Amino acid sequence: MNCPEDLKYTKEHEWARVESENEVKVGITDYAQQELGDIVFVELPEEGAEVTQGEVFGSIESVKAVSDLYSPVTGKVSAVNGRIADEPELVNSDPYGEGWLLSVEIDDKSQLDSLLDASAYISYVEEEKKE
Amino acid sequence: MSGSAESPKRTPLYPVHLKYNAKIIDFHGWEMPVYYTGIRDEHLTVRSKAGIFDVSHMGYVSVSGKNALDAVQKVFTADATKMKNGVVSYGLLCNEKGGIVDDVTLFKIGEESYFFCVNASNVEKDYEWIKKNSGDIAETKNESTEKGIIALQGPMADEILAKVAEDADLKSLRFFHFTEGKIGNDNVIISRTGYTGEKGFEFFFQRNRAETIWNLLMEAGKEYGLKPAGLGARDTLRLEMKYTLYGNDIDDSITPLEACLERYVDFDKGFFVGRDALLKQKEEGIPRRLVGFKMIDAGIPRQGYEIIADGNIIGKVTSGNKSFSTGDSIGMALVKTEYSSIGTSFFVSIRGKNLKAEVVKTPFYKK
């Protein structure tokens, strides 16, 4: 399971990367893309939409199933990865890079403190696997 | 087959699936590989090179004896009198109301020897149905636990099989024909059939020889890029061809006329179970049709989603997914007949949103 140290994670398997003082990039984890299998469609909000930490902001579909996407942060969507519409498989091949989903402009950086760091996320996944 | 009715059943290739790190799922009580490397990869490999599938969960019901042909004619919608030895025929088993008990292939080995290849989920049901409705005039046997079945599908299938098949004239083997031959030292029925829309074969053999035959084919296929392919790719491949899947697109309550499978029903052959009901439906009008459609708006249609037109629910999606070969979101839906012609627009209700779709010509994928 690939979990970069510099990211923050949710229990719903999204990641957040601080890009600048008020900009956070969002995607799903390597573990999540593996569990989903081949991703065929991602529904994302429009630029300018508001997203809220812990709430659904879109959905992701694999060949077999549909899953909700939960926002790791609260803020305004400043960019959407336009390539995902035509190449949803980027989420499988490069979940932390070209398969990113959104950029979110946040007001309050302290909200990131409530997210899991890499080692806490790995432990959480290990526990989840046992169940 | 191993295990009781309660515990999951496994094919003789289960250890092989584990060796290839297959993701195993429950499929109608069978522990089967849904994919090995990934559904997209396996799908595209079958379209461009070749894939090998374990389909040993499917059933094998033989009908033999001097009245075998009469017995087959009573339960099968196609006309078996037209079949020569070595011919395969696709058709339906229907109930008295014309509903589809199963979609099957019938193999004619000889004048007194036939077998049906039936869906895994229907083996016992089909066997009982065939036995009951053929009137005990022939010997009907469920040989599913004795047979193994492997499918080799894709443009490279001929080259791969030619390396390992013996005593079989593959060059003259036409589509929907079969021959007996050898793979390695094992006697196999080699049939030019499949359910992917690709060139290919299905092999029937003694169940305990499955692993040996699989390994020989895999070895022969190495230089052609042959890969194991799971149920996931089988499903997306058959969907691109608009091949129906029992339990999704067809079932006991849907007739072949509604499912647009009329070309596999021969009304001129005389009696078969369901014939009267189907003739009646033909006369009175067919209320709904199984259509192929393409999404115009972005979204993936899935089984059970409602189809909306003119503000009303006019049908339901029976199968749907992304087509890896064309890039379109495609599906099949059972809709009221007045909405079934090519070019008709309707909406698919996808999690609260009505998204536009259009009835299109099928198959969705053509070479």
Side-chain angles (χ1 to χ4, degrees):
Chain A
M1 183 172 32
N2 176 17
C3 293
E5 288 288 332
D6 61 327
L7 304 187
K8 293 282 202 170
Y9 300 88
T10 70
K11 287 184 176 176
E12 288 82 25
H13 310 290
E14 290 84 12
W15 56 261
R17 176 191 285 126
V18 179
E19 298 276 303
S20 67
E21 195 55 35
N22 63 347
E23 195 83 6
V24 168
K25 229 174 202 179
V26 173
I28 69 160
T29 67
D30 182 43
Y31 170 74
Q33 70 77 19
Q34 267 183 41
E35 285 296 295
L36 287 168
D38 288 284
I39 290 159
V40 292
F41 186 68
V42 187
E43 190 185 20
L44 296 172
E46 308 251 310
E47 250 181 67
E50 298 287 336
V51 293
T52 308
Q53 189 173 46
E55 291 191 4
V56 173
F57 70 87
S59 61
I60 188 158
E61 301 201 30
S62 67
V63 178
K64 290 284 162 202
V66 189
S67 308
D68 285 328
L69 292 164
Y70 294 86
S71 183
V73 290
T74 297
K76 195 168 89 173
V77 177
S78 54
V80 176
N81 186 353
R83 288 179 68 192
I84 294 297
D86 294 329
E87 300 170 84
E89 61 271 22
L90 288 173
V91 180
N92 288 119
S93 59
D94 192 9
Y96 300 117
E98 300 201 334
W100 67 279
L101 301 178
L102 302 176
S103 258
V104 181
E105 213 177 281
I106 56 170
D107 299 331
D108 175 13
K109 213 175 158 187
S110 70
Q111 57 175 296
L112 293 160
D113 299 342
S114 62
L115 300 174
L116 304 172
D117 63 18
S119 65
Y121 177 67
I122 290 167
S123 311
Y124 173 76
V125 169
E126 294 302 330
E127 281 304 309
E128 204 180 47
K129 273 192 203 163
K130 279 185 209 157
E131 283 165 18
Chain B
M1 197 176 355
S2 64
S4 67
E6 291 78 32
S7 63
K9 291 179 275 191
R10 292 173 178 174
T11 77
L13 290 164
Y14 184 78
V16 174
H17 304 322
L18 296 185
K19 194 180 98 184
Y20 287 100
N21 290 321
K23 169 104 172 162
I24 303 284
I25 56 153
D26 173 84
F27 181 78
H28 298 289
W30 288 87
E31 283 190 323
M32 293 298 289
V34 61
Y35 62 81
Y36 306 82
T37 52
I39 295 172
R40 176 196 305 268
D41 180 51
E42 290 160 27
H43 179 117
L44 296 174
T45 300
V46 173
R47 288 272 181 254
S48 61
K49 294 169 188 162
I52 180 170
F53 298 83
D54 175 17
V55 281
S56 303
H57 59 314
M58 291 183 72
Y60 185 110
V61 179
S62 64
V63 181
S64 59
K66 66 177 176 15
N67 295 319
L69 174 61
D70 288 342
V72 163
Q73 286 290 77
K74 286 177 197 288
V75 293
F76 191 51
T77 57
D79 187 358
T81 63
K82 292 176 181 164
M83 294 170 73
K84 291 182 177 156
N85 294 349
V87 166
V88 189
S89 179
Y90 176 84
L92 298 316
L93 310 177
C94 285
N95 59 34
E96 290 89 349
K97 290 179 178 167
I100 300 171
V101 175
D102 202 3
D103 64 331
V104 299
T105 41
L106 176 68
F107 291 67
K108 181 176 182 180
I109 298 170
E111 293 309 319
E112 298 185 6
S113 180
Y114 296 81
F115 74 87
F116 286 106
C117 180
V118 309
N119 279 302
S121 55
N122 292 336
V123 176
E124 282 77 23
K125 179 180 84 165
D126 289 1
Y127 170 60
E128 293 301 331
W129 187 257
I130 293 164
K131 206 163 85 166
K132 182 179 149 204
N133 290 286
S134 61
D136 283 334
I137 57 170
E139 195 194 342
T140 308
K141 217 173 141 201
N142 179 3
E143 296 183 46
S144 307
T145 55
E146 295 156 39
K147 303 292 178 187
I149 315 173
I150 287 173
L152 175 69
Q153 302 279 296
M156 294 295 143
D158 282 28
E159 282 83 349
I160 294 165
L161 184 60
K163 281 177 69 182
V164 288
E166 286 174 33
D167 304 337
D169 181 7
L170 298 177
K171 289 221 167 77
S172 63
L173 187 63
R174 286 181 290 143
F175 190 52
F176 265 69
H177 284 65
F178 68 93
T179 184
E180 288 176 53
K182 279 189 177 229
I183 294 181
N185 295 317
D186 289 303
N187 294 319
V188 293
I189 286 176
I190 300 171
S191 167
R192 198 174 262 290
T193 47
Y195 218 54
T196 62
E198 289 301 322
K199 279 203 303 187
F201 305 94
E202 289 172 307
F203 311 113
F204 299 82
F205 46 81
Q206 284 308 309
R207 202 166 178 86
N208 60 1
R209 303 305 299 157
E211 208 167 328
T212 306
I213 293 168
W214 175 283
N215 288 338
L216 277 171
L217 289 164
M218 277 301 290
E219 186 58 34
K222 222 183 228 172
E223 63 176 301
Y224 298 101
L226 175 67
K227 283 185 185 176
L231 291 180
R234 196 172 165 79
D235 189 40
T236 53
L237 287 159
R238 68 94 198 165
L239 176 62
E240 286 182 345
M241 302 310 295
K242 204 200 172 206
Y243 293 157
T244 51
L245 176 65
Y246 199 88
N248 279 47
D249 312 300
I250 51 174
D251 62 34
D252 297 271
S253 69
I254 299 166
T255 72
L257 309 181
E258 293 166 327
C260 299
L261 297 172
E262 190 173 340
R263 63 187 177 280
Y264 304 108
V265 181
D266 192 333
F267 289 106
D268 296 335
K269 68 177 257 189
F271 175 82
F272 60 89
V273 180
R275 182 175 184 267
D276 291 349
L278 293 173
L279 278 173
K280 190 166 170 250
Q281 188 177 57
K282 220 169 133 90
E283 262 175 42
E284 289 176 354
I286 300 156
R288 50 188 189 163
R289 294 276 193 176
L290 189 70
V291 298
F293 68 88
K294 188 170 108 174
M295 295 302 300
I296 305 297
D297 290 335
I300 308 281
R302 291 182 187 271
Q303 189 188 16
Y305 288 0
E306 287 169 344
I307 305 282
I308 316 281
D310 301 322
N312 299 309
I313 298 167
I314 55 121
K316 271 192 177 167
V317 176
T318 58
S319 284
N321 226 312
K322 169 90 167 266
S323 161
F324 290 127
S325 304
T326 67
D328 294 325
S329 289
I330 58 171
M332 289 189 226
L334 202 54
V335 297
K336 286 185 180 169
T337 301
E338 55 266 40
Y339 296 96
S340 64
S341 54
I342 289 161
T344 305
S345 294
F346 50 56
F347 296 96
V348 184
S349 174
I350 300 186
R351 294 188 307 286
K353 283 185 199 161
N354 283 351
L355 301 178
K356 201 172 173 190
E358 185 182 288
V359 179
V360 294
K361 239 181 167 173
T362 52
F364 298 100
Y365 169 75
K366 272 189 195 141
K367 282 258 170 201

